[in-house]
Amino acid sequence: MVSLRHIIWIAIAVSLKLNAQTLSLTITNPSDIQRQEVVEADLDTICQKLGIGHNDSLVVRNALGQEMTYQKSYDGKLLLMVSMQPQGKVVYTISKGKPSIFKSYVHGRIYPERLDDLTWENDRGIYRFYGPALQRSGEKSYGTDVWVKNTPELVVEERYRLHNWGWHQADSLKKAGKPKEGSDFFMNHSFHLDHGYGMDVYAVGASLGCGAPALMKDGHLIFPYCFKACKIVDNGPLRFTAELVYGKTADGITEHRLVTLDKGSHFNKLTVWYDGIKTPMSLATGIVLHGEENLILDSDYVLYADPTDNPKVHQSQIYVGTLFPNGINEHTILKGSKNHAIGMVHPYKGTPYTYYFGSAWSLYDVSTFAHWKLLADEYLIRIKHPLQIRYAS
């Protein structure tokens, strides 16, 4: 027999459910591939339907009632990480409430202790733009750097800490007349060697590195130097976004970038635009080459298996690439002191152009170049066939 107390509790629960303001978010996968990605819902629409403000906290639950990690982005989006079968559909419920503390899967900051690097990561890879302190030092490093990792955990803070501490300890040992001990100590802490979770062995220097943009003049790349100003506008738990401004060129042209990296993604989204272009030019982006084996260059992308800066020692490959979902006018291998595989847009007058760049490591979740190509092809499908969202209160 059901007790009166049990009936009363059921009635209260039903009443609370009926009176709570909730919104159903239905997401549909229009493609024939499995999808795992961060989806953007419109925060204005959600707030209007719930009758709340942008600063009010939300609770998002899946069909089983489990709470989901979300993020409010700087540009008015509610970000959710979804997994969807081909042609699949998922439904989430959103209500006003106090969410749990979420684990972050992305992070980035400027590292003044390392010459103003802007370094950011997600659960797949790590990237670096060089900052103003490096430019003042005179070192010629222009492009996008890649660090490899083989763990979904965030590791950049610890890498910098150990590397810098190792360098200072090694320096003290050398000054004390113990150069070998100092060298051995630094090797055991340097982020240029793998200590079990990845390393920095991608060679950039005076090149585009992995997917930096550059204008062209008389058939030559006008390499961007280091950024002049940087503002981080999203920093987890699901998305990292930074706005960057570069110094004026000799022709009075200023470059702007907006870069975004999501949880689970091997590719960054980058939008670049320029002020001060008086005569149409060519815009280029691509990959520095250290040999031309394992290279695919066509109108959709540049894909390359980089051999690392010491192939005989590291015995692994860094898969790098740039994707052109908005099209290019030309692609070529540009010969020079460092060879590049690039895509070009022309005539270009400085308006915003969006493309994608990214990486993977053969010792992590992408073991072959064929797998890297498959990922790039599927990523282009995702871009061209975005997930569809329907709101119902």
Side-chain angles (χ1 to χ4, degrees):
M1 177 182 289
V2 179
S3 68
L4 178 61
R5 178 178 293 179
H6 191 196
I7 294 173
I8 291 172
W9 277 112
I10 291 174
I12 291 172
V14 171
S15 175
L16 289 172
K17 185 174 181 180
L18 290 174
N19 291 330
Q21 286 183 305
T22 62
L23 171 69
S24 291
L25 199 68
T26 302
I27 305 173
T28 304
N29 177 7
S31 67
D32 294 324
I33 61 172
Q34 176 72 27
R35 306 276 286 263
Q36 290 83 224
E37 61 196 79
V38 172
V39 66
E40 300 177 345
D42 184 67
L43 191 57
D44 273 341
T45 301
I46 292 169
C47 290
Q48 288 170 10
K49 288 186 175 292
L50 290 177
I52 62 175
H54 276 217
N55 293 326
D56 289 324
S57 296
L58 301 171
V59 174
V60 182
R61 299 188 184 278
N62 64 13
L64 293 174
Q66 295 173 298
E67 188 176 357
M68 305 299 293
T69 300
Y70 72 85
Q71 178 180 340
K72 294 178 181 179
S73 68
Y74 85 100
D75 55 348
K77 307 296 183 184
L78 182 74
L79 308 177
L80 295 169
M81 183 74 191
V82 300
S83 177
M84 302 187 65
Q85 293 182 347
Q87 300 293 328
K89 180 176 73 174
V90 294
V91 179
Y92 295 98
T93 301
I94 304 175
S95 60
K96 182 180 177 181
K98 184 178 180 180
S100 301
I101 297 175
F102 300 134
K103 176 181 178 178
S104 190
Y105 298 90
V106 300
H107 179 261
R109 73 173 175 93
I110 293 175
Y111 289 83
E113 64 268 39
R114 184 23 186 99
L115 298 173
D116 297 337
D117 290 348
L118 170 66
T119 308
W120 69 100
E121 67 178 312
N122 67 356
D123 50 334
R124 304 296 180 183
I126 306 168
Y127 303 89
R128 173 166 62 163
F129 288 159
Y130 298 108
L134 184 81
Q135 182 165 336
R136 290 193 297 271
S137 77
E139 181 179 333
K140 303 296 184 183
S141 291
Y142 303 136
T144 306
D145 193 17
V146 170
W147 294 5
V148 294
K149 62 190 292 187
N150 59 1
T151 171
E153 301 303 318
L154 301 178
V155 299
V156 167
E157 289 286 341
E158 185 69 357
R159 282 197 196 180
Y160 273 111
R161 187 189 71 80
L162 289 175
H163 183 92
N164 291 338
W165 181 69
W167 187 90
H168 287 295
Q169 292 295 110
D171 187 57
S172 297
L173 286 168
K174 289 176 183 178
K175 289 178 179 177
K178 301 178 179 180
K180 185 180 185 306
E181 290 89 338
S183 178
D184 291 344
F185 192 92
F186 182 63
M187 285 184 65
N188 289 331
H189 296 83
S190 170
F191 56 51
H192 293 293
L193 296 173
D194 184 13
H195 305 293
Y197 53 91
M199 53 189 165
D200 171 21
V201 287
Y202 183 68
V204 180
S207 78
L208 296 179
C210 176
L215 296 173
M216 298 189 71
K217 186 175 182 179
D218 300 325
H220 299 285
L221 294 168
I222 305 173
F223 289 110
Y225 212 158
C226 303
F227 64 83
K228 181 180 179 182
C230 173
K231 180 181 180 183
I232 295 172
V233 293
D234 289 322
N235 208 357
L238 298 176
R239 172 173 290 176
F240 171 84
T241 305
E243 300 173 342
L244 301 104
V245 180
Y246 286 72
K248 284 187 178 181
T249 68
D251 295 324
I253 298 171
T254 301
E255 177 182 318
H256 303 263
R257 297 182 194 177
L258 181 69
V259 63
T260 295
L261 180 64
D262 288 345
K263 175 184 184 290
S265 178
H266 287 93
F267 290 96
N268 297 261
K269 179 180 180 181
L270 191 145
T271 300
V272 61
W273 66 99
Y274 296 84
D275 299 330
I277 295 180
K278 298 175 182 178
T279 303
M281 306 177 72
S282 290
L283 171 65
T285 184
I287 301 296
V288 65
L289 301 177
H290 304 107
E292 294 183 15
E293 296 180 359
N294 294 318
L295 170 67
I296 301 174
L297 173 60
D298 61 28
S299 59
D300 288 325
Y301 41 51
V302 178
L303 302 177
Y304 178 58
D306 190 277
T308 78
D309 61 4
N310 194 335
K312 291 183 179 179
V313 171
H314 301 307
Q315 293 293 320
S316 62
Q317 293 180 316
I318 305 172
Y319 304 119
V320 288
T322 52
L323 312 181
F324 311 121
N326 294 309
I328 53 175
N329 300 107
E330 185 181 351
H331 54 82
T332 189
I333 294 178
L334 189 66
K335 301 289 186 177
S337 58
K338 293 182 182 290
N339 295 340
H340 290 81
I342 61 172
M344 292 178 282
V345 176
H346 52 72
Y348 176 71
K349 299 179 181 179
T351 55
Y353 178 76
T354 298
Y355 65 96
Y356 296 76
F357 70 91
S359 67
W361 190 28
S362 62
L363 294 182
Y364 188 21
D365 57 343
V366 180
S367 59
T368 67
F369 189 54
H371 187 182
W372 181 233
K373 181 182 183 302
L374 177 63
L375 277 181
D377 289 333
E378 291 189 347
Y379 204 88
L380 286 172
I381 292 174
R382 292 187 197 179
I383 296 169
K384 294 174 182 177
H385 301 279
L387 299 177
Q388 300 169 355
I389 300 177
R390 182 167 57 85
Y391 309 84
S393 41

